[in-house]
Amino acid sequence: MAGAVAVAVHRQRMMERKEARKQMMEDQLRMNRYMVKYDKTNEGTLNKVELRALLKDLNDGTDATEDEVEWILNAADKSHTGDLSFGEMKIAICTFKTYQRNKPFIDSIMAKYDEHKTGKLEFGDLKKMLADISSGVEPSDHAVGDVLERFGTKARLRLVPKKADSAQETAQNPDEMDGVPPIQTVHAISYWYTHPKGVDDHEEDAMAKAASNSNNEKVQAAGKPGSVCGGCTVS
């Protein structure tokens, strides 16, 4: 009896390994096709223009916004070259697919808190959202500023190597209001729940308690904090 069980377990594991190898090979073939199709310069990498074309196809023919392209490029460009290698392209695809799954939740957040319809959550908008997901406990300006510093639109200029066009962009828009773009809202909320807030002492206990309420379940359902791929299957 024990021998029969062992044989059955062994067969099951062999089948699982075979299926995993098959899935890996299929993913590899898809990635090869993506690179051949979108690498118009035949350099073995995808530049920003080529990435935008890839994201458009993944988005059912709808152009990705400039913020979306920029954030996907920066998230995947681990080598900081400005282009995506074969492996970095897979990161970009998984990141974008995770974003697409979270889009309904993100759209509801933007509709509720983007008061001036700027397409991003500015300081006041962000403060209201963080207060609401903390059961009405208002965060300190320092805590809100920390989230904005990490996930705002101007964070892109701090995360990538300095380039002439970025420096020029900063110089041309010195008074532009910073804000969290739609593609970063889930990451900002996840960070809020999983990192120290730097709030005033009398607020800290209340926020810690609020972080465990039902609002947390909504964020967890939208996407796993810190997840790059979110368990996506490249297709």
Side-chain angles (χ1 to χ4, degrees):
M1 182 67 179
V5 171
V7 170
V9 170
H10 176 71
R11 287 178 178 173
Q12 179 65 28
R13 289 177 177 173
M14 291 296 293
M15 290 177 61
E16 290 174 353
R17 290 172 184 170
K18 183 178 180 180
E19 184 63 30
R21 286 194 297 268
K22 179 182 177 182
Q23 184 64 56
M24 185 172 63
M25 291 178 64
E26 290 176 352
D27 285 349
Q28 187 75 7
L29 288 173
R30 290 191 190 98
M31 295 303 295
N32 288 338
R33 289 196 291 268
Y34 281 138
M35 184 60 78
V36 169
K37 181 176 180 179
Y38 296 103
D39 179 21
K40 301 301 184 182
T41 58
N42 296 316
E43 296 179 347
T45 58
L46 296 185
N47 58 36
K48 185 176 178 180
V49 173
E50 294 164 342
L51 173 64
R52 182 179 284 109
L54 168 60
L55 297 182
K56 180 178 181 178
D57 275 5
L58 294 176
N59 202 30
D60 297 326
T62 301
D63 285 315
T65 67
E66 184 64 21
D67 274 337
E68 288 169 348
V69 176
E70 286 286 352
W71 283 108
I72 295 298
L73 179 60
N74 292 332
D77 184 17
K78 303 302 182 182
S79 58
H80 301 294
T81 61
D83 297 325
L84 300 184
S85 65
F86 187 87
E88 290 170 339
M89 179 180 65
K90 184 171 184 178
I91 296 174
I93 292 171
C94 285
T95 302
F96 190 66
K97 284 181 173 292
T98 300
Y99 168 63
Q100 287 178 310
R101 286 197 299 273
N102 293 333
K103 195 69 165 58
F105 171 76
I106 292 171
D107 288 344
S108 69
I109 289 292
M110 297 303 297
K112 183 174 182 178
Y113 296 103
D114 182 15
E115 182 178 357
H116 303 293
K117 306 306 176 186
T118 60
K120 57 189 178 183
L121 300 182
E122 296 177 346
F123 188 92
D125 305 327
L126 184 60
K127 190 168 188 175
K128 289 178 183 177
M129 182 192 75
L130 296 177
D132 281 355
I133 66 176
S134 300
S135 295
V137 179
E138 185 173 291
S140 66
D141 288 351
H142 173 78
V144 179
D146 176 52
V147 176
L148 195 59
E149 174 81 10
R150 293 173 183 275
F151 302 101
T153 52
K154 295 183 180 180
R156 173 173 58 84
L157 302 180
R158 295 187 291 270
L159 291 174
V160 299
K162 296 296 182 182
K163 296 181 181 179
D165 58 341
S166 294
Q168 183 178 9
E169 178 183 343
T170 303
Q172 290 175 346
N173 302 283
D175 299 322
E176 181 184 358
M177 291 291 290
D178 198 1
V180 176
I183 198 168
Q184 286 291 82
T185 52
V186 171
H187 298 293
I189 294 171
S190 297
Y191 173 80
W192 183 252
Y193 279 122
T194 58
H195 291 74
K197 314 302 184 299
V199 297
D200 296 335
D201 291 341
H202 70 278
E203 296 173 340
E204 193 166 4
D205 290 339
M207 281 192 155
K209 182 178 180 181
S212 62
N213 66 13
S214 59
N215 288 315
N216 197 11
E217 296 176 1
K218 296 178 183 178
V219 176
Q220 290 174 345
K224 295 180 180 179
S227 173
V228 173
C229 209
C232 76
T233 299
V234 178
S235 59

